[in-house]
Amino acid sequence: MTAAATGTAMSRKPAEVRPDATTWADVQGLVMSGYSTMHQARYLLLRVDEPSAARAWIGELAGRVTSGAAPETERCINVAFTAPGLRALGLETSELQTFPAPFTEGMTATHRRRSLGDLGPSDPTEWYWGGTAHDAEAGAHAVHVLLLLFAPDATAIAALEAAETALLTAGGLSVVREIVPEPLPGQQTPDGKFGVEHFGFADGMSQPVIRDSGQDEGLGWDEARRSVIAAGEFVLGYDNGYAKLTPWPQLTGAERFGVNGTFLVVRQLAQDVAGFRTHVESEAARLSEDPERLAAKLVGRWRSGAPLVLTDDRDDPDLDVSNDFSYAELDPDGRRCPFGSHIRRANPRDSLLDDPVEALKLANLHRIIRRGRVFGPGLPDDARTDDGHERGLVFVAVNANIERQFEFVQHSWIANPTFAGLAEEQDPMVGNPTGGGTFTVQARPLRKKVTDLPSFVTVRGGAYFFLPGITALRTLGARPA
């Protein structure tokens, strides 16, 4: 196995390796942007039927793929591959062994589904795609490729999808499943700054910023300390948070194949909006609590996005964009934002060690970039029963190290029953896969406990994908039969 696979020899070097302008021209644009001006999107899950033709399609597609250096204009295209997909395209076992084990083993490996909490209704046997019923590599439902299409309006996305579908069909691939996110801007906060997910909360704040991307320029010291993350945490081949090179996969004759690539975690999550509303209201009545405040306690932010750490008694839309806070200084005992709330679990910032500076450094070694979109129509605000339409989130995360980033966050923070000294609790929003969860609201003189939390989120599909650099796409396309 090569040094890139083991992350030993190649992870130590005499000088920093940092990206420059040529890097972002080779990195796929999804790493840099969520394409907010592209209001329409289509996610096409593909199967490779004719490997030689599919490789030629990839080589031709490379010229149309959106890069991190290109502005968003008329359309955006990105493409990624599962491990079975790369095998179907002709990669040898020795080449696949240079990829990390979580990617090659897949999201549905038995030990992995336990650690991710994919149990009960979220068990991979129940998934629409990517699950254990679909994992025969050459089967009719095998997912090999993810083609991401974005356009500014309905007319443009229809034309783009028709053109790309014709090309991929001629290129030896077929569509296994199509996911259609809701058009942006969708539901928004009253000031239009953020999109609103189906539970009714502003979403999209508190994203990490990649060092040397240009997006890190002009940030104040405090914001940079909290948010600016080494490029190697998100792009292969550069210094990561440990000041070591992030290893990259290699192909025979193409040792730098994986440089400028990264990994995507994609999970289709259904949300039980009616169940969330009714349970919050019933528990609020039992606890003599305001339902809106209790819902905010579960999330860690008010519906506007305002963080509880800064305004725990009422929603304050003027604070909706605020990311300028720490837990150690403002809320060490969790009385403003509960220890087990969703945002505190997903990013505990400086709160998990006695030394806040070291705690923040530790937390920043596990950050992910979120690029997901909602799917399904919103449930009317006054509805308390399900209307039969499935709705939720297509969770898309960018990370260079699946195990240390996404899987660590999911297992050690989101699903950890002893997180921050708690006992037998999981994330109240996306944990509790089999129901019956509890959630502690820290308070004086007495804390309160939300009980019998059902599973508000159910996994409907998922997979790990490799998002190559554009040069790597051309390398794939040029591979001989």
Side-chain angles (χ1 to χ4, degrees), residues 15 42-43 58 73 75 79 131 164 198 205 207 219 222-223 228 235 242 245 280 337 348 397 425 449 477:
R42 299 291 185 272
Y43 302 160
I58 293 167
T73 54
R75 55 97 180 120
V79 65
E164 293 300 329
H198 283 300
M205 61 284 293
Q207 289 271 44
L219 295 178
D222 270 351
E223 180 64 13
V228 176
V235 184
Y242 291 97
L245 284 179
V280 167
C337 179
E425 297 186 20
K449 274 193 178 290

Side-chain angles (χ1 to χ4, degrees), residues 60-202:
E60 190 269 338
L61 178 69
R64 300 194 303 281
V65 164
T66 304
S67 81
E72 304 156 26
T73 54
E74 297 179 359
R75 55 97 180 120
C76 297
I77 300 174
N78 292 122
V79 65
F81 306 87
T82 62
L86 293 175
R87 188 175 291 109
L89 288 167
L91 268 65
E92 301 292 338
T93 297
S94 60
E95 295 173 319
L96 285 167
Q97 287 175 341
T98 69
F99 287 79
F103 173 73
T104 55
E105 293 172 357
M107 190 181 289
T108 63
T110 301
H111 65 283
R112 188 156 285 112
R113 74 178 78 169
R114 289 197 300 267
S115 67
L116 296 180
D118 292 340
L119 308 170
S122 291
D123 190 281
T125 58
E126 304 295 325
W127 291 4
Y128 298 155
W129 62 273
T132 53
H134 314 121
D135 62 2
E137 294 193 8
H141 300 288
V143 172
H144 294 153
V145 183
L146 172 63
L147 183 64
L148 300 157
L149 306 176
F150 305 87
D153 55 51
T155 300
I157 196 67
L160 178 62
E161 182 177 13
E164 293 300 329
T165 300
L167 290 170
L168 70 88
T169 300
L173 299 101
S174 54
V175 178
V176 173
R177 191 175 187 89
E178 177 187 51
I179 302 174
V180 181
E182 284 293 289
L184 297 179
Q187 288 185 287
Q188 287 186 295
T189 52
D191 56 15
K193 293 177 183 176
F194 293 107
V196 176
E197 52 76 51
H198 283 300
F199 289 137
F201 290 83

